[in-house]
Amino acid sequence: MSKKKQSLNRLIIISLIIAAAIYLLVHHFHINDFRVIEPTVLYTSGQPQGMDYPRLLYKYHITTIVNIRPPSEHKDHNWYTEEIVWTRNNGVSYIEMPIEKSSYFPDEQTQDNFIAIMANKDNLPVLLHGGRNDERVALLAAAWLRKSQGYTAEHTSNTIKKIIEDRELTEGEITFINHLAK
């Protein structure tokens, strides 16, 4: 094999190794759909897993995790047990506020319960999580932003668009946000 071909093969192998290392590092230090809604107060994410939990505790000092996924979404998966064990072992409060995926608009009682959790300074900072790009998380965060933080409908909409990957809001979501302050 010629020296040129050997050099090219080495370069390709080294490039692949570097690319794999970068991918693993980014994946290892990335929490799915993590968003800072209000620093040191409210964060949102998809389902944390593995090393996400220590990062949430040590980097963001999460005191309370609010899970909006109902039992039907975790009965066949191990994440629920992992989350319960981790929160208990690390002194993190764990609160379940199930919202069905099919009717993802949080009802008045769920909104009030979440606002009460957020009003208790001992609970802060809070991680509100569901699945990937979860509209339920976005709309529950919207209720807190509008009702407790006094965000305008436009500011709230712009904030929650980031939670759901910058997609345009549906008419139902816009109506929901507009009616929150009334």
Side-chain angles (χ1 to χ4, degrees):
M1 191 181 288
S2 73
K3 282 191 172 197
K4 253 186 173 180
K5 202 168 194 169
Q6 285 179 341
S7 294
L8 181 61
N9 285 343
R10 281 191 198 123
L11 182 61
I12 290 171
I13 290 171
I14 290 170
S15 297
L16 289 172
I17 290 171
I18 290 171
I22 290 170
Y23 171 79
L24 289 173
L25 281 173
V26 167
H27 183 69
H28 179 73
F29 291 107
H30 174 75
I31 300 170
N32 283 332
D33 299 318
F34 185 80
R35 303 285 186 269
V36 177
I37 304 305
E38 188 170 314
T40 72
V41 178
L42 180 60
Y43 302 92
T44 63
S45 76
Q47 178 61 51
Q49 45 191 298
M51 291 303 294
D52 295 345
Y53 293 106
R55 273 193 298 283
L56 289 165
L57 181 61
Y58 296 113
K59 185 172 182 179
Y60 300 101
H61 310 288
I62 297 299
T63 302
T64 305
I65 292 178
V66 176
N67 170 22
I68 55 92
R69 297 170 83 184
S72 61
E73 288 183 45
H74 58 70
K75 64 182 175 187
D76 295 330
H77 304 285
N78 197 32
W79 65 262
Y80 180 76
T81 304
E82 176 185 23
E83 190 160 273
I84 295 296
V85 169
W86 185 86
T87 54
R88 284 185 186 148
N89 289 342
N90 289 281
V92 174
S93 297
Y94 183 77
I95 300 169
E96 292 185 57
M97 298 185 78
I99 302 171
E100 290 296 330
K101 217 173 198 172
S102 58
S103 57
Y104 62 91
F105 293 91
D107 62 32
E108 196 72 36
Q109 180 160 357
T110 302
Q111 294 172 42
D112 292 344
N113 290 343
F114 184 65
I115 288 167
I117 290 166
M118 296 300 294
N120 182 343
K121 301 288 184 217
D122 292 336
N123 290 331
L124 304 178
V126 170
L127 173 71
L128 175 62
H129 85 74
R132 286 184 72 72
N133 304 327
D134 206 316
E135 290 90 356
R136 298 170 293 183
V137 167
L139 294 176
L140 193 53
W144 177 73
L145 292 170
R146 290 279 282 157
K147 291 181 172 184
S148 293
Q149 302 307 109
Y151 276 37
T152 65
E154 182 180 2
H155 191 188
T156 301
S157 296
N158 290 335
T159 301
I160 69 166
K161 278 182 189 178
K162 293 177 182 140
I163 297 171
I164 53 177
E165 299 292 318
D166 289 322
R167 73 158 170 77
E168 290 304 313
L169 300 179
T170 66
E171 284 299 317
E173 291 164 345
I174 292 167
T175 300
F176 176 81
I177 291 167
N178 287 333
H179 288 318
L180 285 171
K182 295 179 179 174

